[in-house]
Amino acid sequence: MLLSREKTAFYLKDLETPVGKAINLSIAGLVLLSSGIFVAETYNIPEVIRLNLDAIDTVILLVFAIEYVLRLWSAENKVQYIFSPYAVIDLMAILPFLIGTVDISFIRLLRWFRILRLIRFIDNKFLFSIDTEDGVIFTRILFTLFAIIFVYSGLIYQVEHPVNSKVFVTFLDAFYFSVVTMTTVGFGDVTPVSELGRLLTVLMILTGVALIPWQVGDLIKRLFKTANQVETTCSGCGLLFHDVDAKFCKSCGTKLR
């Protein structure tokens, strides 16, 4: 039983073996497909297509629920896992499925947080074919910006559409509003009218102001740090950058070539 749990935990995190790659890439694909379904459902599509999309989304939610249960079951410290950022995001993604068909507005809002599940894949260079740490940081910045805009666009759309349907007709209208707001262009042709919509707009701006400069600062510090270093891979620990005059790895002490 212990071995089964270890294997389950390994494959849910692994991206080196074929099984690990298949599992994690499939999960990432389902996140994107689920997000695309919700965007499509904001448009006026035939009822047959809408029913098919709902059925596909239900299956995706079931897969997410099974994944969450497996991660919880295989975790060594279950309490620590439940309150970890990734687990909270996962739980928010499957909460509508766990609640059932109860028509509660805040439950419908939670579905937009599914895109945040992709955060767990950003730091893995394999998924994005990134070779350097600078590339990982830059990719994280781009994804953070996209995630903020996407999630808040979905939240604002679901809040504003019922009371301001002539302005926020589809998801694209909310996405357009979020982009011009985050870029401080602010044409004023699309604006929220509800108090909750305006509150979400303020939170979107504050989230962007808080997260983007912080990550850009990490990238700048990284660039300054590597400016005085050379690229020499350590044969012991794999550390890539070292000082120009370094003869030994500062991490493990292995003699550099």
Side-chain angles (χ1 to χ4, degrees), residues 127-160:
L127 285 178
F128 299 91
S129 300
I130 303 172
D131 297 326
T132 65
E133 194 67 27
D134 297 344
V136 173
I137 297 175
F138 184 68
T139 302
R140 191 186 301 122
I141 293 172
L142 292 180
F143 179 78
T144 300
L145 181 60
F146 169 77
I148 291 173
I149 293 176
F150 184 90
V151 171
Y152 277 103
S153 296
L155 297 177
I156 291 172
Y157 169 79
Q158 292 207 265
V159 169
E160 285 294 312

mmCIF file of all heavy atoms in Angstrom, residues 127-160:
data_model
loop_
_atom_site.group_PDB
_atom_site.id
_atom_site.type_symbol
_atom_site.label_atom_id
_atom_site.label_comp_id
_atom_site.label_asym_id
_atom_site.label_seq_id
_atom_site.Cartn_x
_atom_site.Cartn_y
_atom_site.Cartn_z
ATOM 1 N N LEU A 127 7.952 21.473 -19.929
ATOM 2 C CA LEU A 127 6.667 21.753 -20.560
ATOM 3 C C LEU A 127 6.744 22.902 -21.550
ATOM 4 O O LEU A 127 6.024 22.942 -22.526
ATOM 5 C CB LEU A 127 5.615 22.071 -19.480
ATOM 6 C CG LEU A 127 5.090 20.878 -18.687
ATOM 7 C CD1 LEU A 127 4.103 21.351 -17.640
ATOM 8 C CD2 LEU A 127 4.444 19.864 -19.604
ATOM 9 N N PHE A 128 7.616 23.856 -21.293
ATOM 10 C CA PHE A 128 7.680 25.038 -22.136
ATOM 11 C C PHE A 128 8.985 25.117 -22.927
ATOM 12 O O PHE A 128 9.270 26.131 -23.550
ATOM 13 C CB PHE A 128 7.504 26.305 -21.280
ATOM 14 C CG PHE A 128 6.187 26.363 -20.579
ATOM 15 C CD1 PHE A 128 6.034 25.850 -19.293
ATOM 16 C CD2 PHE A 128 5.079 26.907 -21.201
ATOM 17 C CE1 PHE A 128 4.811 25.894 -18.654
ATOM 18 C CE2 PHE A 128 3.844 26.959 -20.561
ATOM 19 C CZ PHE A 128 3.717 26.451 -19.290
ATOM 20 N N SER A 129 9.770 24.042 -22.894
ATOM 21 C CA SER A 129 11.043 23.985 -23.629
ATOM 22 C C SER A 129 11.937 25.171 -23.274
ATOM 23 O O SER A 129 12.522 25.811 -24.152
ATOM 24 C CB SER A 129 10.776 23.946 -25.145
ATOM 25 O OG SER A 129 10.007 22.807 -25.478
ATOM 26 N N ILE A 130 12.024 25.495 -21.989
ATOM 27 C CA ILE A 130 12.830 26.618 -21.514
ATOM 28 C C ILE A 130 14.147 26.071 -20.989
ATOM 29 O O ILE A 130 14.176 25.128 -20.198
ATOM 30 C CB ILE A 130 12.089 27.389 -20.408
ATOM 31 C CG1 ILE A 130 10.735 27.880 -20.928
ATOM 32 C CG2 ILE A 130 12.910 28.571 -19.940
ATOM 33 C CD1 ILE A 130 9.856 28.475 -19.852
ATOM 34 N N ASP A 131 15.243 26.659 -21.419
ATOM 35 C CA ASP A 131 16.557 26.148 -21.056
ATOM 36 C C ASP A 131 17.212 26.905 -19.914
ATOM 37 O O ASP A 131 18.161 26.416 -19.316
ATOM 38 C CB ASP A 131 17.490 26.184 -22.280
ATOM 39 C CG ASP A 131 16.994 25.277 -23.406
ATOM 40 O OD1 ASP A 131 16.407 24.227 -23.084
ATOM 41 O OD2 ASP A 131 17.185 25.626 -24.576
ATOM 42 N N THR A 132 16.770 28.126 -19.617
ATOM 43 C CA THR A 132 17.428 28.942 -18.606
ATOM 44 C C THR A 132 16.448 29.363 -17.523
ATOM 45 O O THR A 132 15.231 29.390 -17.729
ATOM 46 C CB THR A 132 18.033 30.204 -19.246
ATOM 47 O OG1 THR A 132 16.969 31.032 -19.768
ATOM 48 C CG2 THR A 132 18.988 29.834 -20.363
ATOM 49 N N GLU A 133 17.024 29.731 -16.368
ATOM 50 C CA GLU A 133 16.206 30.214 -15.263
ATOM 51 C C GLU A 133 15.576 31.548 -15.609
ATOM 52 O O GLU A 133 14.453 31.855 -15.177
ATOM 53 C CB GLU A 133 17.078 30.340 -14.011
ATOM 54 C CG GLU A 133 16.290 30.516 -12.730
ATOM 55 C CD GLU A 133 15.497 29.272 -12.375
ATOM 56 O OE1 GLU A 133 15.909 28.173 -12.768
ATOM 57 O OE2 GLU A 133 14.457 29.412 -11.712
ATOM 58 N N ASP A 134 16.279 32.376 -16.394
ATOM 59 C CA ASP A 134 15.712 33.651 -16.832
ATOM 60 C C ASP A 134 14.447 33.427 -17.648
ATOM 61 O O ASP A 134 13.465 34.162 -17.527
ATOM 62 C CB ASP A 134 16.737 34.430 -17.669
ATOM 63 C CG ASP A 134 17.968 34.795 -16.861
ATOM 64 O OD1 ASP A 134 17.906 34.717 -15.622
ATOM 65 O OD2 ASP A 134 18.986 35.172 -17.472
ATOM 66 N N GLY A 135 14.486 32.404 -18.489
ATOM 67 C CA GLY A 135 13.316 32.082 -19.299
ATOM 68 C C GLY A 135 12.142 31.648 -18.451
ATOM 69 O O GLY A 135 10.985 31.983 -18.753
ATOM 70 N N VAL A 136 12.417 30.891 -17.380
ATOM 71 C CA VAL A 136 11.353 30.465 -16.477
ATOM 72 C C VAL A 136 10.704 31.671 -15.811
ATOM 73 O O VAL A 136 9.477 31.763 -15.715
ATOM 74 C CB VAL A 136 11.910 29.495 -15.406
ATOM 75 C CG1 VAL A 136 10.841 29.178 -14.355
ATOM 76 C CG2 VAL A 136 12.399 28.212 -16.062
ATOM 77 N N ILE A 137 11.531 32.598 -15.343
ATOM 78 C CA ILE A 137 11.000 33.800 -14.685
ATOM 79 C C ILE A 137 10.177 34.629 -15.657
ATOM 80 O O ILE A 137 9.086 35.114 -15.328
ATOM 81 C CB ILE A 137 12.157 34.644 -14.100
ATOM 82 C CG1 ILE A 137 12.892 33.855 -13.016
ATOM 83 C CG2 ILE A 137 11.630 35.954 -13.523
ATOM 84 C CD1 ILE A 137 14.116 34.565 -12.463
ATOM 85 N N PHE A 138 10.684 34.793 -16.884
ATOM 86 C CA PHE A 138 9.967 35.583 -17.885
ATOM 87 C C PHE A 138 8.635 34.922 -18.242
ATOM 88 O O PHE A 138 7.605 35.600 -18.375
ATOM 89 C CB PHE A 138 10.830 35.741 -19.137
ATOM 90 C CG PHE A 138 10.225 36.626 -20.181
ATOM 91 C CD1 PHE A 138 10.084 37.984 -19.967
ATOM 92 C CD2 PHE A 138 9.783 36.093 -21.384
ATOM 93 C CE1 PHE A 138 9.510 38.805 -20.924
ATOM 94 C CE2 PHE A 138 9.213 36.903 -22.354
ATOM 95 C CZ PHE A 138 9.077 38.267 -22.124
ATOM 96 N N THR A 139 8.648 33.591 -18.375
ATOM 97 C CA THR A 139 7.408 32.863 -18.664
ATOM 98 C C THR A 139 6.423 33.008 -17.524
ATOM 99 O O THR A 139 5.217 33.169 -17.741
ATOM 100 C CB THR A 139 7.710 31.371 -18.898
ATOM 101 O OG1 THR A 139 8.645 31.239 -19.969
ATOM 102 C CG2 THR A 139 6.449 30.613 -19.253
ATOM 103 N N ARG A 140 6.936 32.974 -16.277
ATOM 104 C CA ARG A 140 6.062 33.140 -15.118
ATOM 105 C C ARG A 140 5.416 34.521 -15.107
ATOM 106 O O ARG A 140 4.243 34.664 -14.745
ATOM 107 C CB ARG A 140 6.860 32.919 -13.829
ATOM 108 C CG ARG A 140 5.978 32.800 -12.585
ATOM 109 C CD ARG A 140 6.794 32.726 -11.322
ATOM 110 N NE ARG A 140 7.707 31.602 -11.333
ATOM 111 C CZ ARG A 140 9.016 31.718 -11.199
ATOM 112 N NH1 ARG A 140 9.566 32.908 -11.070
ATOM 113 N NH2 ARG A 140 9.776 30.650 -11.194
ATOM 114 N N ILE A 141 6.166 35.541 -15.507
ATOM 115 C CA ILE A 141 5.619 36.895 -15.563
ATOM 116 C C ILE A 141 4.487 36.969 -16.580
ATOM 117 O O ILE A 141 3.408 37.511 -16.305
ATOM 118 C CB ILE A 141 6.724 37.916 -15.912
ATOM 119 C CG1 ILE A 141 7.736 38.022 -14.767
ATOM 120 C CG2 ILE A 141 6.123 39.295 -16.196
ATOM 121 C CD1 ILE A 141 8.950 38.864 -15.116
ATOM 122 N N LEU A 142 4.733 36.420 -17.780
ATOM 123 C CA LEU A 142 3.716 36.448 -18.832
ATOM 124 C C LEU A 142 2.471 35.674 -18.405
ATOM 125 O O LEU A 142 1.341 36.129 -18.625
ATOM 126 C CB LEU A 142 4.281 35.867 -20.129
ATOM 127 C CG LEU A 142 5.375 36.674 -20.831
ATOM 128 C CD1 LEU A 142 5.831 35.966 -22.105
ATOM 129 C CD2 LEU A 142 4.865 38.080 -21.178
ATOM 130 N N PHE A 143 2.676 34.499 -17.793
ATOM 131 C CA PHE A 143 1.521 33.714 -17.378
ATOM 132 C C PHE A 143 0.761 34.404 -16.255
ATOM 133 O O PHE A 143 -0.473 34.347 -16.212
ATOM 134 C CB PHE A 143 1.958 32.319 -16.919
ATOM 135 C CG PHE A 143 0.802 31.475 -16.457
ATOM 136 C CD1 PHE A 143 -0.028 30.861 -17.373
ATOM 137 C CD2 PHE A 143 0.530 31.330 -15.104
ATOM 138 C CE1 PHE A 143 -1.114 30.098 -16.949
ATOM 139 C CE2 PHE A 143 -0.545 30.574 -14.674
ATOM 140 C CZ PHE A 143 -1.363 29.948 -15.601
ATOM 141 N N THR A 144 1.478 35.032 -15.322
ATOM 142 C CA THR A 144 0.812 35.747 -14.234
ATOM 143 C C THR A 144 -0.081 36.854 -14.786
ATOM 144 O O THR A 144 -1.236 37.010 -14.360
ATOM 145 C CB THR A 144 1.848 36.350 -13.269
ATOM 146 O OG1 THR A 144 2.646 35.304 -12.716
ATOM 147 C CG2 THR A 144 1.156 37.110 -12.144
ATOM 148 N N LEU A 145 0.439 37.608 -15.748
ATOM 149 C CA LEU A 145 -0.347 38.679 -16.356
ATOM 150 C C LEU A 145 -1.568 38.116 -17.061
ATOM 151 O O LEU A 145 -2.688 38.634 -16.916
ATOM 152 C CB LEU A 145 0.526 39.464 -17.336
ATOM 153 C CG LEU A 145 -0.136 40.655 -18.043
ATOM 154 C CD1 LEU A 145 -0.613 41.680 -17.021
ATOM 155 C CD2 LEU A 145 0.838 41.296 -19.023
ATOM 156 N N PHE A 146 -1.371 37.048 -17.836
ATOM 157 C CA PHE A 146 -2.491 36.427 -18.549
ATOM 158 C C PHE A 146 -3.520 35.877 -17.569
ATOM 159 O O PHE A 146 -4.729 36.032 -17.764
ATOM 160 C CB PHE A 146 -1.980 35.310 -19.458
ATOM 161 C CG PHE A 146 -3.074 34.456 -20.030
ATOM 162 C CD1 PHE A 146 -3.850 34.924 -21.087
ATOM 163 C CD2 PHE A 146 -3.342 33.189 -19.512
ATOM 164 C CE1 PHE A 146 -4.875 34.132 -21.615
ATOM 165 C CE2 PHE A 146 -4.354 32.407 -20.034
ATOM 166 C CZ PHE A 146 -5.119 32.877 -21.085
ATOM 167 N N ALA A 147 -3.046 35.209 -16.501
ATOM 168 C CA ALA A 147 -3.958 34.602 -15.534
ATOM 169 C C ALA A 147 -4.789 35.662 -14.822
ATOM 170 O O ALA A 147 -5.993 35.477 -14.611
ATOM 171 C CB ALA A 147 -3.177 33.773 -14.516
ATOM 172 N N ILE A 148 -4.152 36.779 -14.454
ATOM 173 C CA ILE A 148 -4.889 37.860 -13.795
ATOM 174 C C ILE A 148 -5.997 38.380 -14.704
ATOM 175 O O ILE A 148 -7.155 38.531 -14.288
ATOM 176 C CB ILE A 148 -3.926 39.001 -13.409
ATOM 177 C CG1 ILE A 148 -2.983 38.548 -12.295
ATOM 178 C CG2 ILE A 148 -4.707 40.242 -12.959
ATOM 179 C CD1 ILE A 148 -1.895 39.552 -11.985
ATOM 180 N N ILE A 149 -5.634 38.634 -15.950
ATOM 181 C CA ILE A 149 -6.615 39.173 -16.896
ATOM 182 C C ILE A 149 -7.719 38.157 -17.171
ATOM 183 O O ILE A 149 -8.914 38.495 -17.184
ATOM 184 C CB ILE A 149 -5.923 39.594 -18.202
ATOM 185 C CG1 ILE A 149 -5.000 40.791 -17.947
ATOM 186 C CG2 ILE A 149 -6.947 39.945 -19.280
ATOM 187 C CD1 ILE A 149 -4.200 41.225 -19.153
ATOM 188 N N PHE A 150 -7.339 36.893 -17.382
ATOM 189 C CA PHE A 150 -8.329 35.866 -17.717
ATOM 190 C C PHE A 150 -9.299 35.629 -16.569
ATOM 191 O O PHE A 150 -10.520 35.607 -16.756
ATOM 192 C CB PHE A 150 -7.616 34.562 -18.085
ATOM 193 C CG PHE A 150 -8.553 33.477 -18.544
ATOM 194 C CD1 PHE A 150 -8.879 33.359 -19.878
ATOM 195 C CD2 PHE A 150 -9.093 32.576 -17.636
ATOM 196 C CE1 PHE A 150 -9.745 32.366 -20.309
ATOM 197 C CE2 PHE A 150 -9.961 31.581 -18.061
ATOM 198 C CZ PHE A 150 -10.281 31.474 -19.402
ATOM 199 N N VAL A 151 -8.756 35.433 -15.361
ATOM 200 C CA VAL A 151 -9.611 35.126 -14.208
ATOM 201 C C VAL A 151 -10.548 36.292 -13.893
ATOM 202 O O VAL A 151 -11.759 36.102 -13.730
ATOM 203 C CB VAL A 151 -8.753 34.779 -12.982
ATOM 204 C CG1 VAL A 151 -9.625 34.671 -11.728
ATOM 205 C CG2 VAL A 151 -8.006 33.465 -13.214
ATOM 206 N N TYR A 152 -9.992 37.495 -13.843
ATOM 207 C CA TYR A 152 -10.837 38.640 -13.524
ATOM 208 C C TYR A 152 -11.825 38.943 -14.640
ATOM 209 O O TYR A 152 -12.930 39.440 -14.377
ATOM 210 C CB TYR A 152 -9.977 39.863 -13.209
ATOM 211 C CG TYR A 152 -9.486 39.892 -11.782
ATOM 212 C CD1 TYR A 152 -8.179 39.561 -11.463
ATOM 213 C CD2 TYR A 152 -10.340 40.238 -10.738
ATOM 214 C CE1 TYR A 152 -7.728 39.577 -10.154
ATOM 215 C CE2 TYR A 152 -9.914 40.262 -9.431
ATOM 216 C CZ TYR A 152 -8.606 39.924 -9.142
ATOM 217 O OH TYR A 152 -8.174 39.931 -7.839
ATOM 218 N N SER A 153 -11.454 38.672 -15.879
ATOM 219 C CA SER A 153 -12.399 38.848 -16.986
ATOM 220 C C SER A 153 -13.607 37.935 -16.795
ATOM 221 O O SER A 153 -14.754 38.354 -16.986
ATOM 222 C CB SER A 153 -11.722 38.547 -18.329
ATOM 223 O OG SER A 153 -10.693 39.457 -18.596
ATOM 224 N N GLY A 154 -13.336 36.685 -16.413
ATOM 225 C CA GLY A 154 -14.430 35.756 -16.164
ATOM 226 C C GLY A 154 -15.299 36.178 -14.998
ATOM 227 O O GLY A 154 -16.533 36.122 -15.064
ATOM 228 N N LEU A 155 -14.665 36.627 -13.912
ATOM 229 C CA LEU A 155 -15.428 37.071 -12.747
ATOM 230 C C LEU A 155 -16.283 38.294 -13.071
ATOM 231 O O LEU A 155 -17.472 38.355 -12.725
ATOM 232 C CB LEU A 155 -14.468 37.386 -11.600
ATOM 233 C CG LEU A 155 -13.634 36.227 -11.053
ATOM 234 C CD1 LEU A 155 -12.685 36.728 -9.974
ATOM 235 C CD2 LEU A 155 -14.524 35.122 -10.514
ATOM 236 N N ILE A 156 -15.673 39.273 -13.745
ATOM 237 C CA ILE A 156 -16.395 40.498 -14.091
ATOM 238 C C ILE A 156 -17.535 40.199 -15.056
ATOM 239 O O ILE A 156 -18.639 40.759 -14.939
ATOM 240 C CB ILE A 156 -15.427 41.543 -14.688
ATOM 241 C CG1 ILE A 156 -14.472 42.045 -13.604
ATOM 242 C CG2 ILE A 156 -16.183 42.723 -15.295
ATOM 243 C CD1 ILE A 156 -13.360 42.935 -14.124
ATOM 244 N N TYR A 157 -17.288 39.299 -16.009
ATOM 245 C CA TYR A 157 -18.352 38.946 -16.956
ATOM 246 C C TYR A 157 -19.551 38.347 -16.230
ATOM 247 O O TYR A 157 -20.702 38.729 -16.475
ATOM 248 C CB TYR A 157 -17.828 37.961 -17.996
ATOM 249 C CG TYR A 157 -18.939 37.360 -18.825
ATOM 250 C CD1 TYR A 157 -19.507 38.068 -19.880
ATOM 251 C CD2 TYR A 157 -19.458 36.101 -18.523
ATOM 252 C CE1 TYR A 157 -20.549 37.538 -20.626
ATOM 253 C CE2 TYR A 157 -20.501 35.561 -19.260
ATOM 254 C CZ TYR A 157 -21.035 36.271 -20.312
ATOM 255 O OH TYR A 157 -22.076 35.749 -21.040
ATOM 256 N N GLN A 158 -19.305 37.405 -15.321
ATOM 257 C CA GLN A 158 -20.413 36.740 -14.653
ATOM 258 C C GLN A 158 -21.147 37.659 -13.688
ATOM 259 O O GLN A 158 -22.326 37.449 -13.418
ATOM 260 C CB GLN A 158 -19.908 35.499 -13.922
ATOM 261 C CG GLN A 158 -19.432 34.411 -14.874
ATOM 262 C CD GLN A 158 -19.557 33.025 -14.275
ATOM 263 O OE1 GLN A 158 -18.590 32.532 -13.721
ATOM 264 N NE2 GLN A 158 -20.711 32.422 -14.386
ATOM 265 N N VAL A 159 -20.468 38.676 -13.193
ATOM 266 C CA VAL A 159 -21.122 39.646 -12.314
ATOM 267 C C VAL A 159 -21.884 40.685 -13.129
ATOM 268 O O VAL A 159 -23.010 41.059 -12.781
ATOM 269 C CB VAL A 159 -20.076 40.331 -11.409
ATOM 270 C CG1 VAL A 159 -20.689 41.530 -10.695
ATOM 271 C CG2 VAL A 159 -19.522 39.335 -10.392
ATOM 272 N N GLU A 160 -21.287 41.148 -14.223
ATOM 273 C CA GLU A 160 -21.867 42.255 -14.983
ATOM 274 C C GLU A 160 -22.896 41.820 -16.028
ATOM 275 O O GLU A 160 -23.816 42.573 -16.336
ATOM 276 C CB GLU A 160 -20.744 43.034 -15.681
ATOM 277 C CG GLU A 160 -19.937 43.911 -14.759
ATOM 278 C CD GLU A 160 -20.752 45.050 -14.170
ATOM 279 O OE1 GLU A 160 -21.464 45.738 -14.927
ATOM 280 O OE2 GLU A 160 -20.669 45.246 -12.948
#
